[in-house]
Amino acid sequence: MHKGWRFGSRRLAGNESGSFAVIAAVVSPLLVLAIGYSINVGQIFNVRSNLRAALDAAITSTARDITLGVIEPEQAEGRVKQWLEVNGDFRLSKADEIKLADFKIDTVAKTVESGAFVDVSLLFPVFGLPHTERVWTESGAIYSDKRVEVAMMLDITGSMAADKKAKTDKIGDLKLAASNAVKTMLDKQDPKNPRVRVSIVPYASGVNVGGLKDTLYAETSSSSNLPPVAGGSLLLAKTGSAALPSFSDYVSIVGTAFPRPDNCGTERKTKDGEPDLSSDGPDKVRTDKSGKQYFALVNRDDHMSGTGLNKCPAAQVVPLTTNSKTLQDSINAFEANGYTAGAIAIQWTYYMLSPGWRDVIKKASLGDGPSDHSSKKVSKVAILMTDGQFNTAFA
């Protein structure tokens, strides 16, 4: 029995070896196919991912170029193709070229849309099955053919100063953010056909209006909240007439009679002594409670001492411009000091976007001034960069 048992065991072992050989012969090709299928799936996934990223970049970049006026809408398809050729990464597709499909630009909805595909030569072709796979994706973006006017109110007050103990540098962060914003908006547009203009309004206890200083009325503790009125003693003595003089004569007379200690502007005031929140230009004719006329100059409030934390910031307002260097030079020179007259900054930012200020900006040789309001042709944008609470007002 012992010999028979050993003989039976050898026969069983022999049968098992044969069975394993048969199983291996059946399973091995399936394993190879499974591995090959996994390789192909990974290849397709990578190509699709690369194609989607390339098409998204091509479409969004083209929409941006139309918005900035770098290209016209009819050039969009060629720009998308160019982007795909330069930026597409299709090393796993064995160099079959990318093709656009269903490209569409809608000049009414202001959209750019397209599909794209590439025929991929599979890394693991299977006998009897197609050796290529078509990979498809699509993308879209909105563009604008409007002119864009951006005014940035930038907090350069004392609380923005670098703090070594707290390891913060808010003014440094603001300068970097503002500089990057200017670069993004201005640097790549067509200089012959600019779509975007940018203004900056640095502020602390007031706003240094720089070249717009003639728009200010430097009130004193003994003077009215309103600029001098027609028929009043000052204008009557200077002009010999009860009529309101021309705007240029008016600002000359007022500027001489009420000399400015600096070029800081605060709030304009109504005839009731309240803050005037309108966007009217300073050459707008107003009437006081007695019906006498004056020009709507902006106040330089006498409560602003001009010293210490009430000192006028050195950084000046820059009206709308396409000159990136002018804006960057101003931003780079920012220094943090003073109280936070945020409401005054908002008011002056409003002025920089208001067509009511266009004439005085042009006469001061500070650019073409803001465009007329038009929802179809112009977008006006205000950006505020600050670390927090507004704590100063005069009116």
Side-chain angles (χ1 to χ4, degrees):
M1 287 182 65
H2 182 65
K3 290 182 179 180
W5 179 83
R6 284 189 295 169
F7 176 72
S9 298
R10 286 196 297 272
R11 289 186 61 188
L12 178 60
N15 289 339
E16 286 179 348
S17 298
S19 298
F20 287 138
V22 172
I23 292 171
V26 173
V27 171
S28 293
L30 295 177
L31 288 173
V32 172
L33 287 173
I35 293 170
Y37 178 76
S38 297
I39 292 172
N40 288 344
V41 168
Q43 180 190 9
I44 296 299
F45 175 83
N46 278 291
V47 172
R48 180 175 287 113
S49 178
N50 290 336
L51 178 61
R52 182 183 298 114
L55 184 61
D56 283 346
I59 291 292
T60 55
S61 174
T62 299
R64 179 177 181 273
D65 285 348
I66 298 173
T67 298
L68 294 179
V70 177
I71 63 171
E72 297 298 324
E74 56 267 23
Q75 298 173 285
E77 185 171 5
R79 179 57 62 92
V80 171
K81 289 179 178 177
Q82 182 182 17
W83 251 89
L84 287 175
E85 290 171 2
V86 173
N87 296 287
D89 181 4
F90 300 98
R91 287 169 290 181
L92 296 180
S93 69
K94 292 195 174 177
D96 285 333
E97 68 175 8
I98 312 160
K99 295 182 176 64
L100 290 184
D102 301 327
F103 181 87
K104 182 170 59 178
I105 183 161
D106 188 329
T107 55
V108 176
K110 307 294 190 234
T111 57
V112 183
E113 301 175 88
S114 185
F117 66 88
V118 60
D119 292 321
V120 180
S121 299
L122 297 175
L123 295 174
F124 193 88
V126 179
F127 180 75
L129 296 176
H131 291 185
T132 61
E133 178 81 19
R134 177 159 290 184
V135 176
W136 166 274
T137 192
E138 56 188 3
S139 183
I142 298 173
Y143 71 89
S144 173
D145 56 4
K146 292 181 179 180
R147 304 289 172 178
V148 183
E149 297 175 355
V150 181
M152 298 196 297
M153 44 192 133
L154 306 176
D155 183 343
I156 57 171
T157 62
S159 63
M160 296 289 288
D163 187 332
K164 292 183 179 179
K165 289 184 178 179
K167 297 182 179 179
T168 59
D169 183 11
K170 295 177 185 177
I171 192 69
D173 293 340
L174 176 138
K175 289 163 71 172
L176 178 61
S179 178
N180 285 343
V182 168
K183 182 177 178 63
T184 299
M185 290 186 282
L186 295 184
D187 280 6
K188 291 189 177 181
Q189 63 179 338
D190 182 357
K192 296 180 180 178
N193 183 31
R195 294 282 180 85
V196 182
R197 292 185 295 156
V198 176
S199 167
I200 59 172
V201 182
Y203 72 93
S205 300
V207 173
N208 186 336
V209 302
L212 294 172
K213 58 185 179 296
D214 287 341
T215 67
L216 299 179
Y217 159 55
E219 64 180 62
T220 65
S221 58
S222 60
S223 67
S224 165
N225 281 334
L226 299 183
V229 296
S233 58
L234 174 65
L235 295 183
L236 191 59
K238 294 295 183 181
T239 66
S241 170
L244 191 68
S246 68
F247 180 69
S248 59
D249 287 344
Y250 184 86
V251 296
S252 176
I253 294 169
V254 172
T256 301
F258 299 91
R260 297 177 299 272
D262 53 44
N263 292 331
C264 252
T266 57
E267 309 102 327
R268 181 163 47 195
K269 299 174 184 177
T270 68
K271 57 189 175 184
D272 296 315
E274 299 295 326
D276 180 346
L277 303 180
S278 75
S279 64
D280 290 342
D283 52 355
K284 181 81 171 179
V285 176
R286 297 274 179 84
T287 56
D288 69 2
K289 290 181 178 181
S290 300
K292 295 182 178 180
Q293 294 183 325
Y294 65 96
F295 285 107
L297 301 182
V298 180
N299 292 52
R300 193 283 181 200
D301 197 283
D302 65 291
H303 290 95
M304 186 177 180
S305 65
T307 61
L309 291 176
N310 257 325
K311 185 179 179 181
C312 190
Q316 300 177 6
V317 166
V318 179
L320 291 169
T321 182
T322 59
N323 191 323
S324 182
K325 186 178 185 305
T326 297
L327 295 165
Q328 299 285 12
D329 287 347
S330 178
I331 291 168
N332 290 335
F334 284 174
E335 294 180 355
N337 185 54
Y339 295 122
T340 309
I344 295 171
I346 291 173
Q347 192 65 44
W348 276 91
T349 301
Y350 194 11
Y351 298 157
M352 293 303 98
L353 296 173
S354 169
W357 281 71
R358 181 168 56 233
D359 287 346
V360 295
I361 289 172
K362 292 177 74 172
K363 286 177 181 177
S365 300
L366 294 173
D368 294 330
S371 304
D372 289 335
H373 295 291
S374 172
S375 59
K376 294 182 178 180
K377 296 181 180 179
V378 181
S379 289
K380 293 178 182 281
V381 181
I383 298 172
L384 170 62
M385 295 186 185
T386 180
D387 68 336
Q389 183 177 0
F390 297 171
N391 59 25
T392 299
F394 298 96

